[in-house]
Amino acid sequence: MNKRIVIIGAGAAGCFAAIEVKRRCPEAEVTVLEKGTKPLAKVAITGGGRCNLTNSFAEVKSLEQVYPRGFRLMKKLFHHFSPKDAYEWFERGGVRLVTQDDECVFPQSQDAMEIVLTLTSLMNKLGVNTLCGSKVSNIAKRDVCSDGNPLYSVTYTKAGSTHVMEADKVIVTTGGHPSPSGFDMLKELDLEIVPPVPSLFSLCISDKSLTALMGTVVEQAQVSLAGTKIKTNGPLLITHWGISGPAVLKLSSHGARILAEKNYQADVTVNWLFEMSNNDVQKMLSAYVRKHAAKKITSAYPSALNARLWAHLVQRAKLSADMRWSELQGKTFNRLLTVSTSDTYHVTGKNRYKDEFVTCGGVSLNSLKHDTLEAKNHPGLHFAGEVTDVDAVTGGFNLQAAWTMGWVAAKATIIKKNEK
């Protein structure tokens, strides 16, 4: 059995993998190399510092909804370590969890540091050697071990000095990288790398009449990317730079590569009344014409919208704010119906979502064995988490991928040669 295991990256997938390796093989020498000053820095800020560590998946009809890239792989891996398994794993570790109405799972303490401390305490207790401030520059194959697998050398710098560590197995869990140079450590291994581009971002819109409504929230809107079939829905927030909120973040995730190719210049269409069908909206407006005939069109409006947003839509439909409902008919009726359900804006750029950074792209899934996350051409070299071309929308799905992939890679690294 191989015992020298190096894990590169002390994020969610890396720390989780380290714990699972030591639990399965206590005699293994496990070293985690992390370029940052402390492990799990990203976990500490996720979910607004509360750590949305997974999701119940109760409202997920298809994994493609939440994993724009890698959904087939995740479907397979969930048979080995599911969201339910992750929930139970943390509760066994002493973390009380709570599932919100939106199916997002948080620690009951609402403190991400509880997750960080739980993982780091387990690593320390199990004897995982964590070297922070260690930046890996190269992974290379060396001599073949007695089991027929290659020996790896991992070159890294720490405190200005260069070191080389030998390993029987390597798990790469460095997370997403904003540029291809982040994958330079793999350059000797001839792996297919899908060029990374940002995912999970809000959209910049220069329309000042819209951004003047900053702070306005629509609880159920639909956003679609013009020229594609991409449509997402959920809460939408109007900001001083454009639009954000779950509906927009999901759109940015599914449309990440398309938007990058367009240099973040595109048209998006908003259905402000997504909870209602177009036919229902038409009936509602007709009812307003009958019931509020003498009222100004701006004084009676759908309950899903506030007065400021409705006044904005009336203006977008090129209607006078003094128009009476009784005057709404024909073309004016149709214009108001259109802006209520199909309101188009031009996107002029992207804006990073809070302190979180997610990319799509990374080590191609074509390069990996899907049952072990091992590189097809490099026995003993495994990948887990966002360093691969797997990413998700918000809601705990990215962290769930990290737990699942970390668990699968850990199990695979300590299997004996004659095991399946």
Side-chain angles (χ1 to χ4, degrees):
M1 182 179 290
N2 302 295
K3 295 183 179 180
R4 294 177 301 176
I5 299 173
V6 172
I7 298 173
I8 304 172
C15 291
F16 204 78
I19 292 167
E20 284 300 312
V21 168
K22 288 294 285 186
R23 281 179 167 175
R24 292 170 177 274
C25 185
E27 66 271 27
E29 180 185 320
V30 179
T31 301
V32 180
L33 300 175
E34 166 58 41
K35 70 176 181 179
T37 58
K38 54 187 177 181
L40 298 163
K42 191 172 178 180
V43 172
I45 62 172
T46 189
R50 297 188 298 133
C51 192
N52 180 190
L53 78 164
T54 187
N55 192 284
S56 75
F57 284 72
E59 295 183 356
V60 178
K61 297 178 181 178
S62 166
L63 288 185
E64 192 172 7
Q65 289 177 240
V66 295
Y67 292 105
R69 288 150 292 273
F71 68 92
R72 291 186 181 87
L73 172 64
M74 294 313 303
K75 183 177 181 179
K76 183 172 186 176
L77 297 185
F78 279 173
H79 289 296
H80 300 284
F81 192 81
S82 68
K84 181 182 178 182
D85 292 327
Y87 192 106
E88 293 174 350
W89 192 98
F90 280 100
E91 287 225 315
R92 283 197 305 271
V95 181
R96 298 287 294 178
L97 301 177
V98 59
T99 304
Q100 297 184 162
D101 291 342
D102 60 2
E103 306 303 332
C104 294
V105 177
F106 289 85
Q108 197 172 72
S109 65
Q110 300 290 296
D111 186 359
M113 287 309 297
E114 183 179 7
I115 303 301
V116 172
L117 293 173
T118 295
L119 293 172
T120 53
S121 295
L122 281 170
M123 291 169 69
N124 293 333
K125 181 180 178 181
L126 292 167
V128 174
N129 183 26
T130 304
L131 300 180
C132 291
S134 302
K135 184 178 180 179
V136 175
S137 58
N138 190 54
I139 304 169
K141 283 183 180 179
R142 291 295 178 254
D143 298 330
V144 175
C145 301
S146 59
D147 65 357
N149 286 328
L151 179 71
Y152 290 91
S153 67
V154 179
T155 304
Y156 67 97
T157 56
K158 182 175 174 62
S161 299
T162 300
H163 307 267
V164 178
M165 184 176 292
E166 291 188 339
D168 300 300
K169 298 286 182 74
V170 176
I171 306 176
V172 181
T173 59
T174 50
H177 298 285
S179 66
S181 63
F183 299 93
D184 282 352
M185 70 176 73
L186 306 173
K187 58 189 175 184
E188 286 191 26
L189 301 172
D190 193 29
L191 292 166
E192 180 185 352
I193 305 296
V194 180
V197 298
S199 180
L200 290 188
F201 47 85
S202 56
L203 301 177
C204 298
I205 292 173
S206 59
D207 189 318
K208 293 182 179 179
S209 64
L210 178 71
T211 57
L213 306 175
M214 59 182 178
T216 296
V217 175
V218 178
E219 290 299 332
Q220 195 58 249
Q222 182 186 73
V223 188
S224 56
L225 183 60
T228 74
K229 295 181 179 180
I230 300 172
K231 295 181 179 181
T232 57
N233 62 278
L236 182 149
L237 169 67
I238 300 175
T239 68
H240 67 275
W241 64 82
I243 52 177
S244 186
V248 175
L249 297 174
K250 286 189 282 187
L251 184 82
S252 75
S253 182
H254 284 273
R257 202 159 290 284
I258 294 172
L259 286 165
E261 291 170 357
K262 292 178 175 291
N263 196 29
Y264 307 100
Q265 304 287 315
D267 288 339
V268 293
T269 299
V270 182
N271 181 344
W272 299 102
L273 297 170
F274 178 64
E275 286 187 311
M276 305 172 67
S277 68
N278 277 19
N279 189 47
D280 287 339
V281 175
Q282 187 173 10
K283 288 179 179 179
M284 178 191 69
L285 294 180
S286 296
Y288 276 40
V289 170
R290 295 192 303 272
K291 296 179 181 179
H292 306 292
K295 290 183 178 180
K296 290 183 179 180
I297 201 168
T298 51
S299 63
Y301 49 86
S303 59
L305 311 178
N306 65 25
R308 294 169 66 217
L309 177 55
W310 182 248
H312 167 73
L313 296 181
V314 168
Q315 183 184 40
R316 294 274 291 173
K318 299 179 180 180
L319 305 179
S320 168
D322 294 325
M323 176 184 277
R324 308 290 171 173
W325 275 104
S326 60
E327 301 174 72
L328 191 71
Q329 53 186 311
K331 291 182 180 180
T332 57
F333 183 97
N334 290 332
R335 289 206 302 268
L336 186 58
L337 174 63
T338 298
V339 298
S340 298
T341 59
S342 186
D343 193 15
T344 299
Y345 297 88
H346 185 66
V347 175
T348 57
K350 62 178 175 61
N351 193 70
R352 183 168 167 173
Y353 176 57
K354 297 184 179 180
D355 294 318
E356 299 184 33
F357 186 84
V358 176
T359 60
C360 73
V363 177
S364 171
L365 301 187
N366 294 328
S367 298
L368 305 179
K369 297 178 181 179
H370 288 192
D371 54 343
T372 61
L373 300 178
E374 182 180 45
K376 291 178 180 178
N377 298 328
H378 305 291
L381 176 65
H382 301 255
F383 294 85
E386 205 184 320
V387 69
T388 67
D389 190 22
V390 175
D391 64 287
V393 302
T394 57
F397 304 107
N398 278 301
L399 275 179
Q400 179 58 55
W403 313 135
T404 294
M405 298 176 82
W407 189 94
V408 169
K411 180 182 178 182
T413 60
I414 52 84
I415 293 177
K416 295 179 181 178
K417 186 179 179 182
N418 61 350
E419 288 186 53
K420 297 292 183 182

